[in-house]
Amino acid sequence: MSVLVAGHAVNDLYQGAVPAVVPFLVLERDYSYVAAAGITVAATLLSSVVQPLFGVLTDRRPMPWLVPLGMTLAGVGIGLSGLSDSYLLTWLAIALSGLGVAAYHPEAARLARRVAQDSHVGMSWFAVGGNVGFALGPVLVTPVLAFGGLAWSPLLAVPALVGGALTTVALRGVHGAASAGQVSAGRDDWGQFSRLTVVIVARSMVTFGLGTFLAIWVTGRVGGGPAAGAAALVVLFGAGAASTLLGGVLAGRFGRVRVLQVSYAVAVPAVAGVALVPGPAVYLTVALTAVALYVPFSLHVTLGQDYLPNRLGTAGGVTLGLAVSIGGLGSPVVGAIAGVWNLQWGLLSLVVLPIVAWVAARGLRSPVRV
């Protein structure tokens, strides 16, 4: 499990790297809001399309080699993103990174569930690994690109190359342990899984919308240059990573479905606060938003796998992959609203999404596990 948690951190570091790269692309290449949002789409579009396919394939036949390969491609794509002034080539490099993320998640989630031997705690740690990696994305990207500019982007691929090599060496033992673990099977509940998918997509659109534009917004709100914006991303993703573990604790006491419902109710005023609260206090609203959006994160994964106990790869591919990455497709809408009015109105448009998640979550039932 430690190998999978660390690998998930390295892989998702490159999802967190994308919103941190965007401000540097805007600064050096004068991208518009829509063009900046298009970079986020590059990281999510291809990933969204192929991720269900990877899930179905890994349900039929284990493919452990996808774990290090996906991780490596995720890093190489980000590493190539700063080397060309061509928007198309930059877009394709980010898309390659998204493909790597898509290849990684379904098989890694399937292996993690087996290794965890049906433990929600183990899966929570696996989810935390991804959130920690996401939080570290800006920490890695900002100093490298602030010092060397986009020309230094190949250095960003180093963690993936090292992590992919180490995972390849360790994977034989991980796969052996995974084969020994069994998960109790039951009836697949596609209706509840579909409702959960709506929840995750809505949550993901908020997260990607904030991830794409939060640094730009906070920089203009409080001043301080790119460092102020990067600090907001660290608060969002760092507090989010910590909140993922909190979600496991709260779920043990109150139940997963109830925690989801309350979290998304809290997210409504929190997201509005990000757009409306002036000055440095915006960091407090960012932190509250992170708690509300990330407390349910690991619960999505275990609920999804319990709704589809016979299709762990598919469930993992959707809850950790498709439903998460497809949220990036909403970023151009925020960018378009910001272009017509202003960025504050673009961020305010995100408030409707936690409302959608809350409404959908009210129809969820706790799965019956056998």
Side-chain angles (χ1 to χ4, degrees), residues 2 25 54 113 163 240 348:
S2 63
L25 292 171
F54 283 120
R113 185 65 181 256
L348 279 173

Side-chain angles (χ1 to χ4, degrees), residues 2-369:
S2 63
V3 172
L4 291 170
V5 170
H8 198 192
V10 172
N11 183 78
D12 282 18
L13 181 153
Y14 293 101
Q15 284 189 304
V18 174
V21 169
V22 167
F24 290 95
L25 292 171
V26 171
L27 181 64
E28 290 194 26
R29 299 178 184 173
D30 199 26
Y31 286 174
S32 66
Y33 285 138
V34 173
I39 295 298
T40 300
V41 171
T44 59
L45 181 61
L46 185 59
S47 179
S48 300
V49 171
V50 303
Q51 203 134 192
L53 174 61
F54 283 120
V56 170
L57 291 176
T58 58
D59 280 332
R60 293 179 177 178
R61 180 178 180 179
M63 299 180 179
W65 49 269
L66 282 176
V67 176
L69 176 62
M71 184 191 311
T72 301
L73 289 178
V76 168
I78 294 296
L80 295 174
S81 65
L83 296 185
S84 173
D85 290 332
S86 165
Y87 184 84
L88 175 60
L89 292 180
T90 301
W91 195 95
L92 289 174
I94 298 292
L96 176 65
S97 180
L99 177 64
V101 170
Y104 174 89
H105 275 128
E107 180 67 359
R110 188 191 67 82
L111 287 174
R113 185 65 181 256
R114 298 291 187 184
V115 172
Q117 298 183 20
D118 207 20
S119 165
H120 292 316
V121 174
M123 287 302 295
S124 293
W125 278 107
F126 177 70
V128 167
N131 286 335
V132 168
F134 210 120
L136 290 176
V139 176
L140 171 69
V141 169
T142 301
V144 172
L145 298 190
F147 185 81
L150 292 172
W152 280 36
S153 66
L155 291 177
L156 301 177
V158 172
L161 297 176
V162 175
L166 293 177
T167 301
T168 299
V169 172
L171 198 57
R172 185 176 302 174
V174 172
H175 184 53
S179 299
Q182 297 296 325
V183 176
S184 298
R187 183 179 62 86
D188 292 331
D189 190 338
W190 286 100
Q192 287 289 288
F193 185 78
S194 298
R195 183 177 288 272
L196 177 66
T197 300
V198 172
V199 173
I200 302 172
V201 169
R203 179 258 182 200
S204 175
M205 286 184 174
V206 179
T207 304
F208 269 98
L210 289 174
T212 302
F213 296 108
L214 183 63
I216 300 171
W217 171 248
V218 171
T219 298
R221 198 72 163 167
V222 304
L233 291 176
V234 171
V235 170
L236 178 66
F237 299 137
S243 298
T244 302
L245 283 179
L246 176 62
V249 174
L250 294 175
R253 183 170 183 179
F254 301 107
R256 290 175 290 179
V257 171
R258 181 60 177 163
V259 171
L260 258 67
Q261 293 168 346
V262 173
S263 294
Y264 289 116
V266 172
V268 176
V271 173
V274 172
L276 297 175
V277 171
V282 69
Y283 288 106
L284 296 177
T285 63
V286 171
L288 180 60
T289 298
V291 173
L293 294 179
Y294 280 87
V295 158
F297 186 77
S298 68
L299 310 184
H300 295 156
V301 180
T302 59
L303 274 172
Q305 291 185 325
D306 284 344
Y307 287 141
L308 299 183
N310 300 300
R311 293 173 173 83
L312 299 185
T314 299
V318 172
T319 57
L320 280 172
L322 170 64
V324 174
S325 59
I326 203 173
L329 301 181
S331 294
V333 177
V334 178
I337 294 172
V340 174
W341 288 285
N342 54 50
L343 187 52
Q344 185 176 48
W345 278 107
L347 293 176
L348 279 173
S349 70
L350 294 173
V351 175
V352 70
L353 295 168
I355 297 175
V356 171
W358 175 74
V359 171
R362 284 178 59 83
L364 291 176
R365 301 186 304 270
S366 295
V368 177
R369 301 173 65 198

